[in-house]
Amino acid sequence: MDWAVGVDIGGTKIEAALVDEGGAVQGLHREATRADLGPAAVLERLRTCIQAALDRAPGPVRAVGIGFAGQVDASTGVVYYAPNLPGWRDVPLKAELEGALGLPVFVLNDVHAAAWAERTYGAGQDWDDLVCVFVGTGVGGGVILGGRLQTGASGSLGEVGHMPIVADGRACRCGGRGCLEAYVGGWAVAEQVRQDIRDHPAAWGGVGPLETFTAETLADLCRRGHPRAREWSARLGRYLGIGMVGVVNVLNPRGLILGGGVLQGFPEWTEVVAATIRELALPSAARTVEVRRAGLGRHGGLVGAAAWARLQIRSGLSRPA
Ligand SMILES: [Zn+2]
């Protein structure tokens, strides 16, 4: 048995673990990112976290794979930009870590890593053409065509959350308007429903303080059968469905996998999306696509990064610094 280290790094935490060839995770180590301290300090914490995982390895470790919450050139391992990590512009992450660790390191976008995990170990194992969409606070996606992860000309392929679905619609965090994320992203769900509670308090009854009302609160109310909450869930699921019609028409995937924290709270959205595709997508594309829930949990990102690193080694793409 040999091992790879998989890493998931975002604006709040870094997680590193040993991942075996079957995708099993062992020796998980977690650190706060402390993104406020800047790239040099974060790099040091990242190195410490990876070293902690390496120290627990029961056998040889072949490579390190890093799923990074930002725009990454997966071929060079350079981080172009990370919205939640101040100062990260054109950081040669792969070269820096290979120098420090003496192991081959591969870097890819964290959502792409999670999509690759679904293809390798999760709900997409039997498909070569699939799209994974993760609905959490933000909305992101990963696209695999012909069995290959697609990263685009500059690493941002699959940003389905910032696909406009309403002309001149709600303002989005990206600076655009009418983006899918501005309707179904966790932050947007909370914003819209809080406004509805302000406008129609009688329809909601006493649902508690507005400041703490989140997408999770809405999901809770749905589970308890609250009529207005259920209406909102149906409306938001429809927005997601409309977005997915566009994705299915453009990419003609065999599989569409839906995951992420917000989606978990609204399991009914999977069927709403499938029904909207049957109703509105091009018949040829609608006929072949199957919609499934994601099969992997919250370690999908680091598991996918490790699997990606193994693939690069096998393909002879290892280029130690
Ligand atoms: Zn946007």
Side-chain angles (χ1 to χ4, degrees):
M1 175 75 73
D2 64 11
W3 300 84
V5 170
V7 183
D8 194 355
I9 168 167
T12 55
K13 67 178 189 302
I14 304 169
E15 288 186 326
L18 296 160
V19 183
D20 73 16
E21 280 180 78
V25 169
Q26 185 176 314
L28 183 76
H29 189 84
R30 186 179 297 128
E31 296 259 352
T33 307
R34 294 299 312 273
D36 55 304
L37 300 177
V42 171
L43 257 168
E44 184 50 30
R45 298 174 81 80
L46 190 54
R47 197 196 58 75
T48 308
C49 207
I50 294 168
Q51 193 59 53
L54 286 172
D55 289 344
R56 294 178 200 173
V61 174
R62 305 244 290 160
V64 177
I66 299 180
F68 196 96
Q71 215 182 327
V72 173
D73 182 330
S75 63
T76 59
V78 172
V79 175
Y80 289 135
Y81 170 66
N84 300 319
L85 288 107
W88 283 75
R89 279 200 183 263
D90 302 320
V91 176
L93 182 57
K94 173 184 168 73
E96 293 271 358
L97 285 175
E98 282 181 344
L101 298 167
L103 274 171
V105 175
F106 301 93
V107 188
L108 76 169
N109 169 269
D110 60 338
V111 178
H112 290 175
W116 189 249
E118 289 296 332
R119 160 77 169 112
T120 313
Y121 304 114
Q125 291 179 58
D126 41 347
W127 295 325
D128 279 338
D129 300 293
L130 68 143
V131 178
C132 297
V133 175
F134 299 96
V135 185
T137 301
V139 178
V143 176
I144 289 145
L145 296 175
R148 287 169 178 271
L149 180 67
Q150 306 295 312
T151 54
S154 57
S156 72
L157 192 145
E159 290 281 9
V160 293
H162 302 290
M163 188 175 56
I165 55 164
V166 176
D168 307 314
R170 284 173 46 78
C172 185
R173 297 193 300 183
C174 71
R177 283 199 167 271
C179 296
L180 178 61
E181 180 177 305
Y183 295 87
V184 302
W187 63 270
V189 171
E191 256 184 40
Q192 293 166 97
V193 175
R194 285 176 193 177
Q195 190 57 51
D196 190 54
I197 297 171
R198 271 184 223 108
D199 295 345
H200 306 278
W204 286 92
V207 291
L210 276 187
E211 312 78 63
T212 55
F213 195 102
T214 63
E216 215 169 304
T217 322
L218 182 69
D220 253 1
L221 289 172
C222 285
R223 277 191 290 273
R224 287 192 264 135
H226 191 291
R228 188 79 170 189
R230 289 202 156 175
E231 271 173 45
W232 267 97
S233 166
R235 179 179 313 166
L236 297 169
R238 179 72 170 177
Y239 279 120
L240 183 61
I242 296 291
M244 295 305 99
V245 167
V247 166
V248 164
N249 281 350
V250 170
L251 294 170
N252 188 199
R254 175 68 184 81
L256 172 63
I257 293 174
L258 301 175
V262 169
L263 194 108
Q264 253 179 338
F266 301 94
E268 63 273 23
W269 286 4
T270 308
E271 184 42 44
V272 174
V273 167
T276 308
I277 289 170
R278 282 195 300 272
E279 179 195 349
L280 295 176
L282 294 169
S284 56
R287 208 168 37 231
T288 42
V289 71
E290 195 179 320
V291 183
R292 285 185 191 162
R293 301 267 305 275
L296 301 172
R298 55 189 205 85
H299 297 317
L302 69 86
V303 168
W308 171 258
R310 280 182 193 280
L311 176 73
Q312 306 311 303
I313 294 273
R314 272 205 308 277
S315 319
L317 296 176
S318 169
R319 282 188 307 242

